[in-house]
């Protein structure tokens, strides 16, 4: 029994969210989106900075979703390019801040550890000097943490920024009090101590972690960018006034396009005139080019090898095969694995729980800890807040999914979703549906058989000499086999490529043809004379394994296979 179809299928909407810095931010955005009427699903990926929402359009549209994100204290970019620009600018800003902040933090650390570094100048051991050095780190570099914490607080939430802001502020303010009012500490029997190094080093280390995250996000997006780079920027369109070059974005279905040798097919379509051979390995994994004639389909971003042809555009823009592959990779990178959903649930309640634990820690050490209790309680309070930052927990899984799907796409393996990737570790048997996906990416000569009266070396030398000027993969395979046997191609004359059949040339005064059995038959070699030789090279086995047998004929006699 099958269930009834959903009467109101949802519409998938993707939003490029900016301003998120941790898993807690992603959880806040998800909660805000789920509160919008009509939202059935909402998932936010901190690694890609994307929110994927399934919503009933009769209740809410994109505007309502954007308003919900902004209401939670974050923003939505209009285009993906804007997100990339923001990400690049953030990386450069973080790198600059880490460099000068790290220099200040190092000086503060050396000056604060007088018992470790007694050789430091007395000036750097002065509390007021350390205060002056720590202040720009705390309020210039740390401003982003205060802004993030305040934005979350306004919406009744807490995130990693809250932990960093509260922890570093506690250490900084305690140190300011010890610097300005040391007498109060002396009255309480506590030796005045400052912890400017604690707040400064923590801020710089957190920023350094974000710098590494930004770098990882940029690298994991490279796979999609490389796929996008396969698309040609222009197309040659045939119009009433002849050929004209235009941006590929302006091509419309029904246009007649011209593709010349060595050019990339701009969009998907059907050949209407001409013949050629097209390398479709980026789509099919097959190493051999596919012959194209009128009526054959061509796929955008594939490479035209040698012929020129015209074709009618049928699928353009986001409907092309390459665009669908890119969309599949992006969707896979944005999906959540089951383990990530668990991590997100924990991260959503983690920050408030950590703050509560930190307060209890402070109270316990202040009441029952050793002297000086206040100092010990403060240090443990800060330690709990900083060490418990949930960044790694929230970022590790989505980053792993991005890396896995991205690396798979680079190698021609498309992964449907994060759940599929997580389930893959349970697989113990992989079944492939065809041999072409298991080749090395180029054809190789595995067998060669010379006809009676022709030596094997002579066969290879003749075939390699004729194939050397050719760019066809089968011809290059013959040349490589001859080179491996120590045979150098001879100079040829009157080289000619025979469309769809092979090549011919004059070698040492003899006309030599290398190509398909159809070419050999057209040269006058009887089929009966070639059959025993074909059988002796196990052509049936070669065909099954994806290999191609290429006969070579000299004058009108078969030289070998």
């Amino acid at each position: 029994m099958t269930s009834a179809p959903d009467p109101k299928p949802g519409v998938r909407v993707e939003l490029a969210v900016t301003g998120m810095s941790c898993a807690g931010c992603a959880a806040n955005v998800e909660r805000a989106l789920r509160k919008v009427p009509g939202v059935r699903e909402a998932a936010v990926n901190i690694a890609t900075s994307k929110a994927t929402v399934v919503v009933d359009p009769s209740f809410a549209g994109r505007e309502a979703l954007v308003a919900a994100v902004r209401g939670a204290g974050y923003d939505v970019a209009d285009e993906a390019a804007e997100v990339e620009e923001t990400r690049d600018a953030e990386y450069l800003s973080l790198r600059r801040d880490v460099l000068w902040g790290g220099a200040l933090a190092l000086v503060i650390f050396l000056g604060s550890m007088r018992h470790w570094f007694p050789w430091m100048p007395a000036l750097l051991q002065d509390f007021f000097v350390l205060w002056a050095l720590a202040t720009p780190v705390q309020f210039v570099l740390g401003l982003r943490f205060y802004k993030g914490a305040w934005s979350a607080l306004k919406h009744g939430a807490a995130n990693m920024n809250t932990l960093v802001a509260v922890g570093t502020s506690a250490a900084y303010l305690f140190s300011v009090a010890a610097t300005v009012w040391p007498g109060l500490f002396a009255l309480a029997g506590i030796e005045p101590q400052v912890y400017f190094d604690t707040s400064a080093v923590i801020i710089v280390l957190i920023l350094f972690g974000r710098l590494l995250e930004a770098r990882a996000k940029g690298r994991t997006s490279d796979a999609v960018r490389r796929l996008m780079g396969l698309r040609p920027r222009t197309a040659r369109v045939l119009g009433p006034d002849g050929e004209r070059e235009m941006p590929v974005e302006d091509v419309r279905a029904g246009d007649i396009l011209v593709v010349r040798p060595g050019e990339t097919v701009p969009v998907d379509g059907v050949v209407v005139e001409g013949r050629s051979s097209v390398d479709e390995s980026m789509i099919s994994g097959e190493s051999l080019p596919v012959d194209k004639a009128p009526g054959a389909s061509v796929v955008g971003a594939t490479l035209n090898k040698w012929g020129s042809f015209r074709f009618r555009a049928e699928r353009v823009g986001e409907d092309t095969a390459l665009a669908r592959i890119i969309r599949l990779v992006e969707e896979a990178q944005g999906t959540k694995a089951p383990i990530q959903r668990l991590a997100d649930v924990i991260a959503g309640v983690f920050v408030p729980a950590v703050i509560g634990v930190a307060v209890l820690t402070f109270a316990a050490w202040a009441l029952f800890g050793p002297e000086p209790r206040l100092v010990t309680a403060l240090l443990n309070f800060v330690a709990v807040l900083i060490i418990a930052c949930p960044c790694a927990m929230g970022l590790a899984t989505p980053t792993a999914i991005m890396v896995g799907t991205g690396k798979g796409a680079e190698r021609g393996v498309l992964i449907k979703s994060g759940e599929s990737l997580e389930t893959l570790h349970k697989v113990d048997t992989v079944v492939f549906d065809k041999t072409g996906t298991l080749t090395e990416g180029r054809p190789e000569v595995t067998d060669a058989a010379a006809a009676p009266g022709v030596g094997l070396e002579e066969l290879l030398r003749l075939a390699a000499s004729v194939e050397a000027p050719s760019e066809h993969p089968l011809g290059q395979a013959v040349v490589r086999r001859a080179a491996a046997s120590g045979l150098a191609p001879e100079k040829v004359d009157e080289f000619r490529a025979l469309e769809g059949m092979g090549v011919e040339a004059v070698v040492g005064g003899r006309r030599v043809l290398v190509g398909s059995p159809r070419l050999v038959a057209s040269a006058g070699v009887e089929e009966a004379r070639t059959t025993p030789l074909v059988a002796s090279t196990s052509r049936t086995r070669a065909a099954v394994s994806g290999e191609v047998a290429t006969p070579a004929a000299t004058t009108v006699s078969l030289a070998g296979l």
Side-chain angles (χ1 to χ4, degrees):
M1 180 178 179
T2 59
S3 58
D6 192 332
K8 293 183 179 180
V11 174
R12 182 188 180 93
V13 179
E14 287 191 351
L15 304 176
V17 183
T18 60
M20 296 188 299
S21 59
C22 66
C25 298
N28 293 339
V29 174
E30 282 189 6
R31 281 194 294 267
L33 289 171
R34 289 193 179 113
K35 291 179 181 178
V36 177
V39 170
R40 299 172 57 186
E41 296 179 22
V44 179
N45 191 312
I46 184 65
T48 58
S49 299
K50 283 186 178 181
T52 304
V53 186
V54 178
V55 60
D56 187 341
S58 62
F59 284 89
R62 180 183 175 87
E63 296 77 12
L65 301 177
V66 172
V69 173
R70 290 174 176 165
Y74 306 91
D75 203 358
V76 177
D78 294 330
E79 299 180 0
E82 185 178 340
V83 177
E84 290 295 328
E85 291 175 3
T86 302
R87 183 173 292 174
D88 293 340
E90 179 189 9
Y91 177 79
L92 294 176
S93 175
L94 284 169
R95 187 173 64 178
R96 182 183 61 250
D97 291 347
V98 167
L99 287 175
W100 73 262
L104 281 179
L106 178 61
V107 174
I108 296 169
F109 176 78
L110 294 176
S112 300
M113 299 298 174
R114 290 171 289 180
H115 53 290
W116 286 357
F117 311 106
W119 44 265
M120 288 296 294
L123 179 66
L124 292 180
Q125 298 179 10
D126 185 87
F127 286 179
F128 284 95
V129 173
L130 294 175
W131 182 14
L133 293 174
T135 298
V137 178
Q138 184 70 35
F139 296 109
V140 177
L141 293 187
L143 182 61
R144 67 193 74 198
F145 298 114
Y146 288 110
K147 285 183 177 180
W150 175 245
S151 177
L153 183 61
K154 286 191 300 183
H155 298 89
N159 54 27
M160 173 190 166
N161 295 306
T162 307
L163 299 180
V164 177
V166 172
T168 58
S169 295
Y172 177 83
L173 294 176
F174 179 89
S175 302
V176 170
T179 302
V180 179
W181 301 291
L184 294 178
F185 287 81
L187 290 175
I190 302 174
E191 180 184 357
Q193 295 182 10
V194 294
Y195 296 94
F196 291 119
D197 58 313
T198 301
S199 60
V201 170
I202 285 172
I203 288 175
V204 172
L205 286 178
I206 296 295
L207 290 181
F208 181 66
R210 290 193 177 182
L211 177 67
L212 296 180
E213 292 172 10
R215 185 180 181 185
K217 291 176 184 178
R219 286 185 172 179
T220 49
S221 301
D222 284 348
V224 174
R225 281 196 288 267
R226 276 193 284 269
L227 285 174
M228 292 180 176
L230 295 174
R231 295 185 294 194
R233 297 182 180 275
T234 59
R236 193 174 286 107
V237 180
L238 188 64
D241 302 328
E243 297 179 13
R244 60 191 179 95
E245 201 168 273
M246 64 168 59
V248 71
E249 293 81 5
D250 295 338
V251 175
R252 297 290 177 264
D255 288 347
I256 302 299
L257 287 78
V258 180
V259 182
R260 294 174 180 168
E263 293 183 344
T264 301
V265 179
V267 296
D268 299 358
V270 175
V271 177
V272 296
E273 182 181 333
R275 294 177 179 273
S276 185
S277 183
V278 179
D279 180 359
E280 295 184 341
S281 57
M282 59 85 61
I283 293 291
S284 65
E286 299 285 357
S287 58
L288 292 178
V290 180
D291 292 335
K292 300 294 181 182
S297 61
V298 289
V299 181
T302 55
L303 181 63
N304 182 32
K305 299 296 288 186
W306 55 266
S308 179
F309 63 92
R310 298 177 180 181
F311 75 98
R312 182 178 60 255
E314 293 199 339
R315 290 184 296 275
V316 300
E318 295 301 314
D319 294 329
T320 63
L322 179 62
R324 294 198 299 272
I325 290 174
I326 293 173
R327 189 160 56 247
L328 177 63
V329 174
E330 289 179 332
E331 289 176 359
Q333 290 185 339
T335 58
K336 291 189 176 183
I339 189 65
Q340 184 182 345
R341 298 190 185 100
L342 175 61
D344 289 345
V345 170
I346 296 174
V349 298
F350 194 73
V351 173
V354 167
I355 293 176
V357 172
V359 171
L360 291 175
T361 301
F362 180 86
W365 282 96
L367 293 175
F368 307 110
E371 296 292 347
R373 292 180 180 176
L374 183 61
V375 175
T376 306
L378 175 68
L379 292 178
N380 285 285
F381 172 77
V382 173
V384 170
L385 289 177
I386 302 305
I387 292 174
C389 285
C391 284
M393 180 176 63
L395 187 70
T397 304
T399 301
I401 291 174
M402 288 188 69
V403 172
T405 54
K407 290 298 183 183
E410 288 179 15
R411 290 161 173 77
V413 179
L414 300 181
I415 299 171
K416 184 177 181 180
S417 64
E419 185 172 357
S420 302
L421 188 61
E422 182 177 325
T423 308
L424 191 61
H425 78 280
K426 300 178 181 178
V427 174
D428 57 10
T429 304
V430 179
V431 179
F432 292 92
D433 64 340
K434 57 180 179 177
T435 59
T437 56
L438 300 178
T439 63
E440 293 185 0
R442 66 180 189 180
E444 296 289 349
V445 176
T446 58
D447 298 288
V454 180
L456 184 60
E457 289 190 356
E458 182 184 3
L459 169 68
L460 289 174
R461 180 179 54 79
L462 289 173
S465 299
V466 178
E467 293 284 16
S470 172
E471 296 180 354
H472 197 283
L474 290 181
Q476 293 304 306
V478 173
V479 173
R480 287 194 299 272
R481 172 61 184 272
S485 301
L487 303 174
E490 295 183 11
K491 181 181 177 181
V492 300
D493 299 311
E494 301 179 22
F495 172 83
R496 187 163 66 102
L498 305 174
E499 184 177 337
M501 293 193 295
V503 293
E504 70 170 336
V506 175
V507 183
R510 293 185 295 177
R511 187 170 68 96
V512 180
L513 292 84
V514 183
S516 65
R518 186 159 58 97
L519 173 63
V520 176
S522 69
V525 178
E526 298 177 6
E527 182 178 354
R529 294 171 59 190
T530 67
T531 302
L533 188 62
V534 169
S536 70
T537 59
S538 303
R539 181 180 174 89
T540 302
R541 180 191 60 79
V544 169
S545 64
E547 301 158 0
V548 179
T550 303
T554 63
T555 314
V556 292
S557 62
L558 188 70
L561 185 65

